């Protein structure tokens, strides 16, 4: 029986490490990967630091089947993820025409200036495949099995929806949870006999703690 594909999440951004922004993307990705039979095995967070991103991408790519990144592909000076990923793979990066055309059309529709900073979002490493962004158009990209996506939650989620179903080894997986109320289990984990129906799933009992009602005093 083939093993579940594995994945890692690389969260990139000074704002996460400083506590200014709460990371919800890794939690969302974990749920989506589980639903598709891919095991999220590691989550790592690094600053907007070129060397740190390069080191993390290389280490995670060497160890796991898929790597998903969030953050650092916007128009600002500290959005350096695309350049760092290109360097990690040893490939050149530059303005890519199809990405440029998508962005040019988007800004023409919105009436906003397609300035030099926004044009940076069309910089894509050579050999990468674009990841569709139906929310704000600026694409992510996949290079090898590293999927580089935006950090803004609704854009990240839209990109995940287009990437995971087509990832090698992805499937749909159902699982049951085990909750505990006043010391008694509800919705038990499927028995060993029923588990072969979902051979690639991992099973776990997940307790949920609830406070028992207070005793009446009157």
């Amino acid at each position: 029986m083939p093993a579940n594909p594995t994945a890692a999440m690389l969260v990139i951004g000074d704002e996460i490490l400083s506590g200014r922004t709460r990371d919800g993307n890794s939690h969302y990705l974990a749920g989506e990967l589980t639903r598709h039979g891919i095991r999220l095995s590691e989550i790592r967070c690094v600053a907007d630091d070129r060397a740190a991103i390069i080191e993390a991408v290389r280490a995670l790519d060497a160890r796991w089947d898929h790597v998903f990144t969030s953050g650092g592909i916007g128009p600002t000076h500290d959005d350096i993820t695309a350049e760092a990923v290109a360097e990690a793979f040893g490939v050149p990066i530059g303005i890519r025409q199809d990405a440029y055309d998508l962005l040019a059309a988007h800004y023409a529709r919105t009436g906003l200036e397609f300035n030099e900073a926004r044009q940076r979002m069309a910089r894509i490493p050579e050999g990468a495949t674009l990841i569709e962004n139906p929310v704000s158009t600026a694409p992510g990209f996949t290079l090898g099995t590293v999927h580089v996506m935006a950090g803004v939650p609704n854009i990240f989620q839209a990109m995940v929806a287009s990437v995971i179903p087509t990832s090698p080894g992805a499937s749909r997986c159902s699982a049951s949870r085990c909750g505990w109320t006043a010391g008694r289990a509800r919705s038990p984990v499927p028995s060993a006999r029923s588990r072969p129906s979902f051979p690639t799933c991992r099973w776990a009992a997940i307790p949920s703690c609830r406070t028992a009602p207070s005793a009446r005093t009157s």
Side-chain angles (χ1 to χ4, degrees), residues 18-165:
S18 69
R20 296 195 308 272
T21 300
R22 184 190 299 271
D23 169 46
N25 290 337
S26 54
H27 177 265
Y28 179 82
L29 180 68
E32 291 303 297
L33 290 174
T34 298
R35 290 200 315 116
H36 287 85
I38 299 175
R39 182 183 304 175
L40 182 59
S41 302
E42 183 174 351
I43 299 173
R44 191 179 297 197
C45 186
V46 297
D48 293 309
D49 177 86
R50 191 185 190 98
I53 297 169
I54 292 168
E55 187 279 329
V57 167
R58 287 174 174 168
L60 296 173
D61 184 50
R63 186 171 187 185
W64 309 114
D65 297 324
H66 299 278
V67 179
F68 297 84
T69 80
S70 72
I73 61 171
T76 63
H77 70 281
D78 58 349
D79 287 314
I80 58 173
T81 298
E83 286 80 2
V85 171
E87 187 171 340
F89 278 86
V91 298
I93 184 172
I95 297 290
R96 194 160 114 178
Q97 194 61 48
D98 53 353
Y100 183 93
D101 291 345
L102 286 170
L103 287 162
H106 169 73
Y107 284 106
R109 287 193 304 271
T110 59
L112 297 173
E113 180 187 1
F114 188 33
N115 56 28
E116 186 176 349
R118 288 166 175 157
Q119 290 172 27
R120 291 186 69 247
M121 295 187 290
R123 290 174 57 80
I124 305 293
E126 187 175 295
T129 302
L130 297 187
I131 297 174
E132 182 184 6
N133 173 3
V135 179
S136 61
T137 305
F141 62 85
T142 294
L143 189 58
T145 54
V146 176
H147 313 287
V148 178
M149 297 178 286
V152 178
N154 63 328
I155 301 175
F156 177 82
Q157 292 172 18
M159 289 182 172
V160 165
S162 69
V163 170
I164 291 182

